Amino acid sequence: MPSVAVLGPIVLPLVAAAVIALFGFAGLDLGRVASGLGAFSSLVALVAVWLPIRSSVELTLGQLGFGSAFDMRIDAVTFAFGLMIAAPAAVLLALQPRVWPQAVVSLLALAASMAAVESGGVVLTAIAGGAAATLAVVLLDTEDPRAPRPSWAMLLAGWLALSWFGVLLQVRGGTAVFSAVPVATVTGPLFVLLAASAILVSCLFPWRTWPADLWARPSLRAAGVTIATLYPLGFYLLIRAYEMGNGRYPHELFNVALAAIGLLCAFAAAARAQAAPTRRRFLGEVIPGFGGVALTAISLGTPLGLAAGLVLLATASAMIACLALLPDQAGIGSLVTIAAAVGLPPGLAFGGRVVGIVASFEAGDFIGLIGLGAAVTWATWMVAGSRAIGLPGGRGHPLVETFPKISLAIALLTLVAGPALALFQAGFANPVAAEVMPGSASLSGGFASIVTVSSSLPVVTLLVPLLIFGAIAYAVAGVSAIKAQAHPPLFKVPAAASIESMRAAFRSLRVPEQYRSILNIKELELAASGANPVLWLGALVAIGFAVTWKP
């Protein structure tokens, strides 16, 4: 495999964006066919580079300066996260109609996000990630400037923190390349900076943030692409941190702290979901819920936990496309989507949660208590799902951007794919664990079961009968047995109103009149969303060159 093929997943959507823009300026809109082809070409190029050899392919294009190389690489981690990013984005770009400027910005955002996970070093990842964040803000504002969107300042703060982390690595260790960073360089204070960057990038907080707020927009075309291209990147950074630390974080307390943060995020999402007033509001908490449980599993520091986290992130990636295409109406589509989201057996979410809880118990000590908390959180999600069936749909979205049959197919695929969990682990998760945790014992069990330290989970013989039983039960009962009646929430979130009031008070703070011309973040964000995307791409490249150049 020629090393230049590494550029395919990045260059092909850029070429498609350029072609769409040229025809668009000429007055001809190529439509979703061209944007879909551009996005799927990135996905096909990624698979074509990795699958034939299943080994790292690297390309070095020179130096950025001061030890920072322009290094691009496709390995197991890149392949896993590239699939999570490109697959839902390609489905949405191929199906949902959008005007050509939005298609161009969407493809640019996809290319930037793919460049972030293909970058071989920290600084280049920060530059590409900052570009993806900026393009996401531009995309959301071009669609509807009054609808909810993430703060550009907050997103960029995460990537600037990662740039700072990369520069410190270069100064102290001589390199910021993921696979070459000296283990002793990633000290506790530096890791805190990296973890803070990851949390800001994916907004892993226990209160309602943009991964949930975007689903309340009048249109979900830009929302789906934004969440698909941005949300996985924070988890990517935490997994690369294992590679820089030779399979572990600097101290076990970091594992415990991040696992606790993930559990808190997951339970907070479940608490909001079980008290949601509409089904769309419930579905808005699905991705943060998956993210919290995945963060808990990844932070365990074991190959089994890492595998569970990747399964959950992959399921969340499929659910992003499913939720963006799902109409706000009752029926079999909503029912299957809710079942797949809450982890009903025998779905992938069910298998990932079971493996994650087992991994937390095997980790022992305090992390075992986190496993108990994960079980309680899962039970809360089950209650929330049963209540969501009877909730009103929500505000509704344009029929032209909803595809009920495709959404149903995606949800059904994640629900029936549980028996293939061992196969998924062997082909998707195990290579990632081997890449970033080289000193750990590899997972085994073949394609029919998952073998852990203390037990064996026969996924095929356990989940196939459950799948058959569920199909028979649905065939007998049908949709008519579902009582579409809203039930009261299990409990009210006591601090929800206080948190929202504090957030509103914080957002209402104003800079004194004499300093507003230089410290007006809102005006800066408006300038970012109104500027030419090429200008901001060039500015971010210039920033990266400035922080790495040495005369």
Side-chain angles (χ1 to χ4, degrees):
M1 180 63 63
S3 58
V4 71
V6 170
L7 298 177
I10 304 170
V11 172
L12 290 177
L14 290 178
V15 172
V19 172
I20 293 172
L22 288 175
F23 278 89
F25 282 121
L28 180 62
D29 194 335
L30 296 182
R32 54 190 175 184
V33 175
S35 58
L37 287 175
F40 272 109
S41 67
S42 177
L43 183 62
V44 171
L46 178 68
V47 174
V49 172
W50 172 253
L51 281 188
I53 58 175
R54 296 183 63 83
S55 181
S56 179
V57 181
E58 192 169 351
L59 174 67
T60 301
L61 299 174
Q63 295 291 320
L64 287 175
F66 196 30
S68 181
F70 202 123
D71 186 17
M72 310 299 294
R73 180 176 62 164
I74 291 181
D75 57 9
V77 184
T78 300
F79 177 71
F81 278 89
L83 285 182
M84 296 178 200
I85 292 168
V91 170
L92 297 179
L93 287 172
L95 293 177
Q96 293 177 323
R98 62 197 79 221
V99 296
W100 70 263
Q102 293 175 352
V104 169
V105 177
S106 298
L107 287 170
L108 290 176
L110 173 60
S113 187
M114 293 297 290
V117 298
E118 283 197 34
S119 301
V122 176
V123 174
L124 196 55
T125 295
I127 295 172
T134 300
L135 289 166
V137 172
V138 173
L139 177 62
L140 292 168
D141 272 358
T142 54
E143 182 184 76
D144 188 346
R146 296 168 296 180
R149 68 162 175 83
S151 166
W152 179 71
M154 183 196 66
L155 290 176
L156 202 59
W159 293 112
L160 290 176
L162 185 66
S163 301
W164 185 15
F165 173 76
V167 171
L168 290 175
L169 286 182
Q170 290 174 175
V171 171
R172 298 183 180 185
T175 181
V177 175
F178 290 117
S179 58
V181 172
V183 175
T185 305
V186 186
T187 59
L190 275 184
F191 183 83
V192 170
L193 185 59
L194 174 62
S197 171
I199 289 173
L200 286 171
V201 164
S202 293
C203 218
L204 301 172
F205 298 108
W207 50 85
R208 186 177 173 88
T209 53
W210 64 263
D213 285 335
L214 291 187
W215 299 110
R217 291 171 64 93
S219 173
L220 298 182
R221 289 173 295 183
V225 173
T226 297
I227 297 174
T229 54
L230 290 188
Y231 193 66
L233 296 181
F235 301 93
Y236 171 79
L237 298 178
L238 293 175
I239 289 180
R240 283 296 187 193
Y242 282 120
E243 183 178 16
M244 290 186 285
N246 195 29
R248 58 177 59 88
Y249 291 160
H251 196 279
E252 293 181 356
L253 288 178
F254 291 118
N255 296 89
V256 175
L258 286 173
I261 291 173
L263 179 60
L264 186 60
C265 292
F267 183 77
R272 295 191 298 268
Q274 61 84 35
T278 63
R279 193 183 308 114
R280 177 57 68 177
R281 187 68 178 259
F282 162 84
L283 293 173
E285 301 296 343
V286 167
I287 302 304
F290 271 107
V293 180
L295 176 59
T296 300
I298 290 171
S299 302
L300 298 178
T302 63
L304 186 63
L306 184 61
L310 288 171
V311 169
L312 292 167
L313 287 177
T315 309
S317 174
M319 293 303 297
I320 290 172
C322 175
L323 297 179
L325 301 176
L326 180 69
D328 290 329
Q329 61 188 22
I332 184 62
S334 295
L335 176 64
V336 175
T337 300
I338 292 171
V342 301
L344 197 71
L348 272 180
F350 171 81
R353 289 174 184 269
V354 168
V355 174
I357 292 174
V358 170
S360 64
F361 288 153
E362 289 186 352
D365 298 329
F366 178 76
I367 293 182
L369 297 177
I370 292 178
L372 292 176
V376 173
T377 300
W378 192 0
T380 307
W381 271 109
M382 288 294 186
V383 173
S386 64
R387 179 176 177 267
I389 296 174
L391 292 176
R395 64 183 301 166
H397 295 94
L399 293 178
V400 69
E401 69 180 38
T402 61
F403 293 82
K405 293 182 179 179
I406 302 298
S407 177
L408 172 61
I410 296 172
L412 193 61
L413 180 62
T414 65
L415 195 59
V416 303
L421 180 63
L423 176 63
F424 188 84
Q425 174 197 283
F428 186 78
N430 281 5
V432 176
E435 184 80 33
V436 302
M437 297 179 176
S440 303
S442 59
L443 300 174
S444 60
F447 299 150
S449 61
I450 297 176
V451 177
T452 68
V453 174
S454 60
S455 63
S456 176
L457 179 63
V459 292
V460 174
T461 56
L462 174 64
L463 298 182
V464 168
L466 287 175
L467 179 60
I468 297 174
F469 175 78
I472 294 175
Y474 171 73
V476 172
V479 182
S480 60
I482 302 171
K483 298 183 182 299
Q485 181 179 358
H487 298 283
L490 183 64
F491 59 89
K492 294 184 178 180
V493 184
S498 300
I499 293 175
E500 288 301 322
S501 62
M502 286 189 294
R503 292 180 64 191
F506 179 78
R507 287 193 294 264
S508 65
L509 294 177
R510 295 292 181 266
V511 178
E513 182 73 29
Q514 61 268 32
Y515 300 112
R516 288 182 183 176
S517 60
I518 59 175
L519 294 175
N520 194 325
I521 301 298
K522 185 65 176 178
E523 291 296 330
L524 183 60
E525 291 189 2
L526 291 175
S529 60
N532 191 319
V534 177
L535 171 64
W536 283 103
L537 284 172
L540 286 163
V541 172
I543 291 173
F545 182 77
V547 300
T548 57
W549 181 75
K550 183 179 180 181

